[in-house]
Amino acid sequence: MPPVTSIGEPQRFEALREAIEACRICRDEPRYGPPLDHEPRPVFQLAESARICIASQAPGIRAHRSGRPFDDPSGVRLRQWLGLTDAEFYDASRIAILPMGFCFPGLGKTGDLPPRRECAEVWRPRVFGRLSNLKLLVVIGSYAQRWHLGHDATQQGLTETVRAWRRHRDDTTPSVFPLPHPSWHNNRWLKLNPWFETELLPVLQADVRAVLL
C-alpha cells in the first residue's frame, strides 16, 4: 500500500470527513498527469461507526451531478446484489461507500477515465485506519481489488479474483467480497459466469444481513 503523505492527520473523525469533502488535490496539485478538467466534487459516504464498506472505482457523471454515490442504474443492481433497500444502502452510520477516486474523473474515448491516483494515496490509509468497526469489505472492480487485495491476489485478472471469493471471504479481516462492477456493460460477463449469481450472491447477502443485525 502506498505511503501516507505529509498532510496532517485530523484528530476528529468528522474533521477527516470534512477534509475529504474539501479536497482539491487532483485539480490544484495533481501528481499524475494533467489536472482534473472540471470542478472537484468528492462523492462518498462515511461514518466511523460503519460496519460494511463498499470500495468502488469512481463516481460516474450522474453521481457527480447529484452528489450521491451509485445514483444510477449500476447502483440499483448493486443494491440488488447486496440485498439492501435504498434506505439501508444510504445509511452512512452502517455502510461506508469509498471509491478509489472520490471525484468523477471525466470521460475518455470509450467511457469514464480511470480514478485519479492521488485520492487513494492521500486518503485511503487515513480512512481505513479509523474504521475500527468494519466487518465486511465489498471490493468492486480491478482498481479497488488491486489496492485492497494486493498484486499477488489479483494478477490473474478480475474474473479469477472474483472466482476466488471464498478464500478472500474466509482468510481476510474484515471479510472481503470481490465483485465485478454492477454496470450493465457487464451483462455478458454475468452470462459467462453464472456461478456469480448462484453461488456468491446468496452468501454475500446472508453476510450483509448478519453484519447489519
Side-chain angles (χ1 to χ4, degrees):
M1 186 174 290
V4 178
T5 66
S6 59
I7 293 177
E9 184 71 30
Q11 296 301 308
R12 295 183 300 108
F13 192 86
E14 181 64 19
L16 174 62
R17 193 180 64 79
E18 292 171 353
I20 296 172
E21 289 177 340
C23 182
R24 295 180 54 86
I25 292 174
C26 60
R27 174 80 175 191
D28 297 345
E29 301 178 71
R31 302 177 178 185
Y32 305 99
L36 193 69
D37 65 0
H38 54 269
E39 188 67 16
R41 186 180 192 181
V43 179
F44 64 100
Q45 181 170 293
L46 181 61
E48 196 167 13
S49 58
R51 298 174 64 82
I52 295 174
C53 178
I54 298 168
S56 54
Q57 181 165 297
I61 186 62
R62 293 191 186 186
H64 172 72
R65 289 169 176 163
S66 70
R68 196 182 199 200
F70 285 102
D71 189 16
D72 55 21
S74 294
V76 174
R77 172 175 271 177
L78 177 59
R79 290 187 280 281
Q80 292 172 346
W81 284 357
L82 297 169
L84 293 174
T85 65
D86 285 7
E88 290 171 327
F89 184 80
Y90 289 112
D91 181 355
S93 68
R94 299 197 294 173
I95 296 178
I97 303 174
L98 298 171
M100 293 298 295
F102 288 122
C103 294
F104 172 57
L107 292 172
K109 293 181 179 179
T110 59
D112 293 355
L113 293 170
R116 297 289 306 208
R117 292 167 59 190
E118 294 92 340
C119 277
E121 287 188 0
V122 171
W123 298 116
R124 234 159 176 77
R126 289 177 169 74
V127 172
F128 281 93
R130 304 281 286 271
L131 293 179
S132 58
N133 296 305
L134 201 61
K135 303 299 182 184
L136 179 62
L137 180 61
V138 179
V139 187
I140 297 174
S142 57
Y143 292 101
Q145 288 165 13
R146 282 196 296 269
W147 180 276
H148 288 282
L149 295 174
H151 172 75
D152 291 344
T154 58
Q155 61 181 332
Q156 295 185 34
L158 182 140
T159 297
E160 294 308 311
T161 301
V162 178
R163 196 187 300 275
W165 65 271
R166 292 180 181 86
R167 174 165 55 84
H168 301 308
R169 171 183 180 257
D170 296 339
D171 296 347
T172 54
T173 302
S175 293
V176 175
F177 272 90
L179 305 184
H181 197 280
S183 167
W184 299 104
H185 293 296
N186 280 334
N187 283 351
R188 184 172 182 274
W189 187 94
L190 294 172
K191 289 181 179 179
L192 291 173
N193 298 277
W195 51 266
F196 174 76
E197 293 184 325
T198 61
E199 299 176 21
L200 185 154
L201 289 187
V203 178
L204 172 61
Q205 291 170 8
D207 282 10
V208 167
R209 191 55 52 193
V211 169
L212 292 183
L213 286 178

